[in-house]
């Protein structure tokens, strides 16, 4: 597999997100204004393939809003941290 930087991978992920890569339960609420909607699992698997590590799934409640995180990725806010 070709080596890429986190910056390059982040750009590629942003370009690839769409309703076709979205979690089925989020497709109806996916928009171009919020392209990371429903992309957590897809993003976590791709990041894991390139950088390894442990995938972790959990629920976080922030201000009464549930945010699901997977593998250190908070896709709802488009923040990727490894």
């Amino acid at each position: 597999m070709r080596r890429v930087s986190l910056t390059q991978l982040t750009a590629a992920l942003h370009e690839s997100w769409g309703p076709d890569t979205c979690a089925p339960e989020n497709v109806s609420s996916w928009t171009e204004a919020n392209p990371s909607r429903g992309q957590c699992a897809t993003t976590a698997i791709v990041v894991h393939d390139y950088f390894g590590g442990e995938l972790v799934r959990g629920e976080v409640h922030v201000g009464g809003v549930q945010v699901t995180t997977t593998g250190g990725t908070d896709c709802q806010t488009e923040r990727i941290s490894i």
Side-chain angles (χ1 to χ4, degrees):
M1 187 174 297
R2 190 178 122 204
R3 296 191 62 84
V4 299
S5 70
L6 183 56
T7 301
Q8 292 169 317
L9 185 58
T10 299
L13 285 165
H14 282 243
E15 290 178 30
S16 67
W17 285 336
D20 58 326
T21 59
C22 184
E25 63 272 14
N26 296 123
V27 171
S28 64
S29 59
W30 185 91
T31 66
E32 288 185 17
N34 186 12
S36 62
R37 177 77 178 158
Q39 305 295 331
C40 291
T42 302
T43 299
I45 290 168
V46 172
V47 171
H48 180 266
D49 284 350
Y50 278 93
F51 295 102
E54 181 180 350
L55 295 176
V56 179
R57 179 183 174 115
E59 293 180 2
V60 178
H61 295 272
V62 179
V65 176
Q66 177 181 324
V67 178
T68 301
T69 61
T70 307
T73 304
D74 177 355
C75 299
Q76 302 302 322
T77 60
E78 297 186 34
R79 181 182 66 235
I80 297 176
S81 59
I82 296 179

